[in-house]
Amino acid sequence: AEQLRPYQEILAPFVLAARQRLVAEAGTTYALLTEDAHAAMERSLLSTLCWFAGQTLHIQFSVMRTQEQSPFARLLALAQETDDRTLYEQFVQHMLHGQLRSFLCEYPVLARILAIVMQCWVESTAEFLQRLAADWNEIQRVFGGAEGELGRVVAAQTSLSDPHNGRRTVMVLMFSSGIKL
């Protein structure tokens, strides 16, 4: 099951924008990975964006929750241990339908960080795909086995190390042949 992250719905458009940039930058090398492998890499980006923006979005959500609920309603919700799902969904819709821009204008440093993280992800992923394409024949020769065919990359585990050199991290790739590198 996929792990849900607070505020991921708000940050998902950033991942979609990063994907579009990656497709344009990577060109034909984009096809070396299956959609599942690309989705795993995009989930890693989403997780990073949520980590950077989560606390600030939570502050904004808390302000909205305080403004939307009367003190009595907050006490009642605490007594009944109800969740804030309805208010959370309202907050997400509020942000996605016009308030995200003003939120980012209010927090320009966060906006810059999110833009840098996205750009670093696009650059590092495009570089990874270009290097994979350049090394493909040698990887096939060394790891292809008797059949010599690794197949496409069907899964990717990312962020297996601390980010370095433009947010690059260690990855494990699973090829359709079952080989992991």
Side-chain angles (χ1 to χ4, degrees):
E2 186 178 328
Q3 179 186 1
L4 298 177
R5 291 163 188 83
Y7 312 110
Q8 70 180 18
E9 304 94 326
I10 296 168
L11 298 166
F14 290 83
V15 176
L16 294 176
R19 178 194 302 159
Q20 290 173 341
R21 289 166 119 184
L22 176 63
V23 169
E25 195 165 315
T28 59
T29 63
Y30 186 86
L32 292 173
L33 277 64
T34 63
E35 283 306 310
D36 287 344
H38 280 293
M41 297 178 86
E42 291 167 5
R43 280 191 301 275
S44 178
L45 172 60
L46 181 60
S47 180
T48 302
L49 294 172
C50 288
W51 187 85
F52 278 106
Q55 287 183 326
T56 309
L57 284 165
H58 187 70
I59 290 168
Q60 200 73 16
F61 172 60
S62 296
V63 167
M64 186 202 112
R65 183 176 52 198
T66 302
Q67 292 171 346
E68 294 291 321
Q69 282 185 321
S70 70
F72 180 72
R74 281 195 303 277
L75 282 173
L76 189 59
L78 285 172
Q80 295 175 346
E81 296 183 20
T82 59
D83 64 11
D84 289 328
R85 193 73 198 165
T86 302
L87 280 174
Y88 174 81
E89 290 169 2
Q90 288 174 357
F91 175 71
V92 167
Q93 291 307 310
H94 182 71
M95 293 299 281
L96 290 176
H97 293 98
Q99 286 308 115
L100 185 55
R101 181 181 175 102
S102 62
F103 169 77
L104 293 173
C105 287
E106 186 176 342
Y107 297 98
V109 173
L110 176 60
R112 177 93 171 121
I113 288 170
L114 296 178
I116 289 169
V117 167
M118 285 175 53
Q119 185 60 35
C120 286
W121 182 85
V122 170
E123 289 171 2
S124 65
T125 305
E127 179 184 333
F128 158 72
L129 291 170
Q130 290 161 358
R131 287 182 178 197
L132 182 62
D135 295 340
W136 190 262
N137 290 334
E138 186 67 9
I139 293 170
Q140 284 277 96
R141 187 185 68 71
V142 172
F143 298 103
E147 298 83 37
E149 184 63 34
L150 288 173
R152 287 175 68 198
V153 176
V154 296
Q157 289 178 292
T158 62
S159 302
L160 298 175
S161 68
D162 289 338
H164 57 279
N165 193 24
R167 300 207 50 83
R168 285 152 177 80
T169 64
V170 173
M171 287 188 255
V172 172
L173 305 177
M174 165 96 72
F175 292 84
S176 60
S177 64
I179 300 284
K180 282 186 178 182
L181 299 177

